[in-house]
Amino acid sequence: MRPAQLLSVLERELSSAADGHHTPVMLWGPPGVGKSQMIAQVAERHQVPAIDIRLSQMEPSDLRGIPFRVDQHVEWATPAILPNAERHGPAGILFLDEITSAPPAVSAAAYQLILDRRLGEYQVPEHWAIFAAGNRQGDRGVTYSMPAPLANRFSHFEVETHLDDWVAWAYSNRIDERVIAFLRFRPELLFDFDPAHNPVAFPSPRSWEFAHRALKKFQDQPQLLQGTLQACVGSAAGIELTAFVNSIDQMPDLDAICRGESVPVPSEIDLQYAVAAALVGKAIRARESGEQQEVIGNILHYAGRFPQREMGVMLVSDLHRAIGSDLFEVPAFADWANAIADVMLYE
């Protein structure tokens, strides 16, 4: 399932915990596709805490607690990492990460916690959701086969990579527009992992964020840039990204486009992708300057000038993902939509 859909599932599961309809969710996927980040995003959006427990780093007693004697009985000291309504709040997310990397004895200790929402005398607070994530056995990670009794305590979802969803996230998180443009140009490189070759650096949604950081740190040191990009996304992808970034020097004047001046559309396809991504970034920043309608209107006029109208459609689609319904309030949007109606409806 694509990330945007999974976020909706996770949000509904979180809200359903208050109604008693919550089912623990297990996210499966290869490394670097954003499983943990989706959980953090849901918690941030709902302003609730997320307790991240890495089961692969725990012993069974870390979950059960430590016994101590009270008169003639033994009671258990509950681990402080488990959710507590007084300490952590009435609602939140208990996230059991790396669950498939946990030794069988540890995962067995989590059976009761996941299904019955309790562990001995400890009870998970009512409004807390339980989510888990892990790599599959073929992903070259440290994994154990999930026991059937544990698997039957979850609803299971496979996390897929989806470029449109990643682009929407990238714009909202100020990822360098050159990285976004490159992946629009080479979409198959969003995730390229072959477990049979067991690479140490490979393209993934997570490693493209690392590439963004490398660009910010080393763009003024060209002798280091290619090597640092290769260290993030692998040898081949790093070379391609470096060449793409170097070609952007030939881009037209973006500020002139935003002012409504007549600027030629580049003939090279890679530059067209770069211009489209950069103009979306300009539109996002225009929201903060008070010139949003004028800038977006001029960008829409420019989008209609691409030789391949699909390129303009991609630009405006990304613009909508980035700024939302504000796009429809710009007068030039209706003219643009009418001009490409046959593309949207029939092609």
Side-chain angles (χ1 to χ4, degrees):
M1 185 177 287
R2 59 186 285 186
Q5 295 171 327
L6 276 174
L7 285 171
S8 298
V9 170
L10 293 171
E11 290 182 356
R12 184 61 60 89
E13 285 291 352
L14 175 59
S15 60
S16 70
D19 306 322
H21 301 307
H22 170 67
T23 301
V25 173
M26 173 68 196
L27 300 181
W28 294 89
V33 296
K35 301 182 292 296
S36 303
Q37 197 162 45
M38 281 194 289
I39 303 299
Q41 190 173 334
V42 170
E44 182 179 2
R45 188 175 298 176
H46 289 263
Q47 298 184 324
V48 297
I51 296 179
D52 185 338
I53 297 179
R54 305 290 169 123
L55 291 178
S56 61
Q57 303 170 13
M58 305 188 77
E59 298 288 339
S61 59
D62 294 335
L63 281 180
R64 184 68 177 89
I66 298 175
F68 63 95
R69 179 175 176 175
V70 178
D71 296 329
Q72 300 301 313
H73 305 282
V74 172
E75 297 185 5
W76 293 81
T78 303
I81 57 173
L82 293 176
N84 179 280
E86 294 181 0
R87 291 198 313 271
H88 302 115
I93 296 171
L94 173 58
F95 181 39
L96 305 175
D97 203 0
E98 301 175 358
I99 191 169
T100 53
S101 302
V106 176
S107 61
Y111 285 8
Q112 187 183 23
L113 180 67
I114 294 166
L115 182 63
D116 300 328
R117 301 177 62 85
R118 64 182 308 119
L119 202 57
E121 296 179 359
Y122 167 77
Q123 179 80 41
V124 178
E126 287 186 359
H127 296 180
W128 280 68
I130 298 176
F131 301 144
N135 300 135
R136 304 161 303 187
Q137 282 195 290
D139 291 328
R140 289 282 183 171
V142 178
T143 58
Y144 295 88
S145 178
M146 180 175 281
L150 178 59
N152 198 234
R153 285 163 162 79
F154 287 108
S155 57
H156 298 264
F157 295 91
E158 187 91 11
V159 181
E160 301 172 356
T161 56
H162 194 282
L163 184 59
D164 286 344
D165 292 352
W166 185 87
V167 166
W169 171 86
Y171 279 121
S172 65
N173 286 273
R174 303 297 179 96
I175 296 298
D176 193 298
E177 288 134 20
R178 292 170 292 181
V179 176
I180 299 172
F182 175 73
L183 288 176
R184 279 297 190 194
F185 179 57
R186 294 278 277 125
E188 65 276 14
L189 289 180
L190 174 62
F191 183 76
D192 186 15
F193 173 62
D194 184 359
H197 292 90
N198 197 23
V200 291
F202 56 90
S204 72
R206 178 165 58 201
S207 61
W208 286 115
E209 183 180 0
F210 297 164
H212 150 78
R213 298 176 190 171
L215 272 174
K216 295 301 184 185
K217 289 180 287 191
F218 298 104
Q219 59 186 339
D220 60 343
Q221 295 180 281
Q223 73 277 14
L224 297 177
L225 182 59
Q226 179 171 305
T228 55
L229 291 175
Q230 289 178 296
C232 296
V233 295
S235 179
I239 292 173
E240 286 194 51
L241 178 58
T242 304
F244 184 87
V245 169
N246 291 337
S247 73
I248 288 179
D249 293 340
Q250 307 167 38
M251 275 216 303
D253 187 340
L254 299 175
D255 291 329
I257 295 172
C258 293
R259 291 193 298 267
E261 299 175 15
S262 180
V263 177
V265 176
S267 57
E268 298 88 347
I269 294 296
D270 56 343
L271 285 181
Q272 291 180 19
Y273 277 106
V275 169
L279 288 176
V280 174
K282 289 282 188 183
I284 293 171
R285 290 186 286 277
R287 303 177 77 181
E288 303 164 0
S289 65
E291 301 174 349
Q292 179 181 6
Q293 290 230 345
E294 179 185 355
V295 169
I296 294 175
N298 291 330
I299 290 174
L300 287 168
H301 288 308
Y302 192 82
R305 296 178 52 205
F306 281 101
Q308 295 177 314
R309 288 185 296 172
E310 292 82 0
M311 184 70 72
V313 171
M314 183 208 74
L315 191 165
V316 179
S317 298
D318 283 349
L319 194 58
H320 177 236
R321 294 186 186 96
I323 67 173
S325 59
D326 290 350
L327 175 64
F328 306 137
E329 299 174 7
V330 179
F333 177 78
D335 297 333
W336 175 85
N338 289 331
I340 53 86
D342 58 324
V343 176
M344 298 293 287
L345 291 175
Y346 303 114
E347 293 188 10

